Amino acid sequence: MRRLGIHSFVWTGGQTQEGLEMALNKTAEHGYRTIEFAYLRPEKFNLDRLAKLAQSLDVEIGVTMGLPLDKDVSSEDTSAVLAGKQTLADAIRAVRDIGGNKLGGILYSAHTKYNRQPTKKGWDNSVAAIAATAEVARQANVDLVLEVVNRFETNLLNTTAQGLKFIAETGSEHVRLHLDTFHMNIEEANPAAAIRLAGDKIGYFHIGESNRGYLGDGVINFDLIFDALLDIDYKRDIVFESFSTTVVDEGLSLACAIWRDTWEDNDPLAAHAKRYIELKYDEAKRRRA
Ligand code: FUD
């Protein structure tokens, strides 16, 4: 792994400058070296100040988001697709301006529980929009990673195999997958096999438990996950993600159906996750030695 990071929603709903600055400080204090800002609203913040603070703390910033339905690039409606492309291009500029290194999340569709089947035309529209976005991202020196999520959060890319087909169709070497153990646990028959299948096409990796709470409390077999990540020689960032109603954001909490507390105190959660990930990673390395 390159850098171990933490999702900002462990610290803050992300609605204020102070909240994001606190999140950066907490991240560094706990020894994480990258943070994920989700649903960043660039117009609300002083991006330059956040960039400088991150740099002074040696914490890198990644940004993730999902599209709203009226900007869904997997829609058959041309105006929604155009609006979505514009949103993605704006988001890449915000990532660049905050000194960030990647844009991830549900960039290829709306982040929602769909009430319709995906369509071939919608898939093609999304592939074309992501191919165009990849070029914007490449020029801005920002990685573009597509998060494969469970069926209740998109209707387009629920499995790694679908994600690989999608990125192949974009024809761009600049698009990679953003995989997440919570989602894989729901959709993949064999999460470790999915990691091996994706190999070098994994650009970003989320570690989350099956109940989105404390690592180790749920059903995910992290030994198999870390064995697979070592097998493919995964060298990019790994980020711990956990959600609770202790930290609420209108957009993300609703899209992810976060209706209850999996924890109340974020400091012990963050400390535990870092110890847990480092331990599992070391154990996997020892198994190989
Ligand atoms: C959502 C999820 C998150 C989310 C991201 C979007 O279920 O797993 O990774 O997609 O935070 O900003």
Side-chain angles (χ1 to χ4, degrees):
M1 115 176 85
R2 191 176 152 273
R3 283 186 176 226
L4 177 58
I6 188 162
H7 197 284
S8 55
F9 276 64
V10 169
W11 309 121
T12 173
Q15 281 101 342
T16 63
Q17 179 85 16
E18 297 69 42
L20 293 182
E21 288 180 9
M22 175 272 285
L24 275 167
N25 284 313
K26 282 282 192 184
T27 297
E29 229 171 77
H30 277 270
Y32 287 99
R33 295 184 62 227
T34 186
I35 189 170
E36 176 174 328
F37 286 154
Y39 285 79
L40 181 70
R41 298 167 186 83
E43 69 288 353
K44 286 179 66 172
F45 305 115
N46 183 332
L47 298 187
D48 196 43
R49 233 174 81 181
L50 290 167
K52 289 203 175 98
L53 177 60
Q55 213 170 15
S56 73
L57 296 168
D58 188 24
V59 170
E60 289 183 353
I61 297 175
V63 175
T64 59
M65 61 183 279
L67 294 171
L69 272 169
D70 63 348
K71 293 176 179 163
D72 180 356
V73 294
S74 75
S75 165
E76 296 201 351
D77 171 0
T78 316
S79 63
V81 174
L82 271 176
K85 269 173 75 173
Q86 187 59 50
T87 299
L88 293 173
D90 290 346
I92 284 163
R93 275 188 282 279
V95 177
R96 183 198 59 198
D97 293 347
I98 206 172
N101 55 16
K102 67 179 83 64
L103 181 68
I106 303 105
L107 310 174
Y108 50 83
S109 80
H111 185 188
T112 192
K113 158 86 171 66
Y114 276 82
N115 60 7
R116 61 169 178 80
Q117 295 289 332
T119 64
K120 170 79 170 82
K121 186 168 170 208
W123 169 283
D124 290 344
N125 285 345
S126 179
V127 166
I130 293 297
T133 304
E135 198 39 38
V136 180
R138 198 182 58 75
Q139 282 173 24
N141 206 16
V142 168
D143 289 349
L144 193 69
V145 291
L146 308 181
E147 186 174 19
V148 177
V149 296
N150 75 78
R151 66 192 71 188
F152 303 109
E153 297 183 37
T154 183
N155 65 359
L156 210 68
L157 302 183
N158 300 138
T159 66
T160 302
Q162 289 175 315
L164 289 170
K165 177 170 187 287
F166 186 97
I167 62 176
E169 285 187 28
T170 65
S172 169
E173 286 297 314
H174 197 70
V175 192
R176 286 196 157 77
L177 296 181
H178 165 185
L179 298 185
D180 179 318
T181 54
F182 164 81
H183 296 291
M184 296 175 93
N185 176 63
I186 297 173
E187 300 293 346
E188 304 285 357
N190 182 336
I195 291 169
R196 292 190 178 89
L197 178 72
D200 188 49
K201 289 297 175 188
I202 307 178
Y204 189 42
F205 200 83
H206 271 172
I207 295 280
E209 188 48 274
S210 53
N211 69 345
R212 308 206 101 159
Y214 267 77
L215 298 180
D217 276 1
V219 301
I220 295 181
N221 187 330
F222 286 106
D223 292 338
L224 298 180
I225 298 288
F226 281 99
D227 283 345
L229 287 172
L230 286 180
D231 268 4
I232 65 162
D233 199 21
Y234 180 72
K235 289 247 166 59
R236 300 188 176 97
D237 296 339
I238 292 183
V239 161
F240 167 59
E241 178 174 74
S242 178
F243 298 124
S244 169
T245 42
T246 303
V247 173
V248 174
D249 165 77
E250 273 171 41
L252 190 61
S253 302
L254 299 184
C256 300
I258 309 302
W259 313 131
R260 60 189 176 82
D261 285 356
T262 47
W263 41 264
E264 285 173 6
D265 194 352
N266 47 20
D267 277 307
L269 174 90
H272 173 270
K274 183 159 181 289
R275 277 197 309 273
Y276 187 91
I277 292 170
E278 285 172 349
L279 176 75
K280 288 289 166 190
Y281 194 61
D282 282 350
E283 284 176 358
K285 279 195 225 155
R286 275 204 296 277
R287 276 195 293 279
R288 294 173 74 78

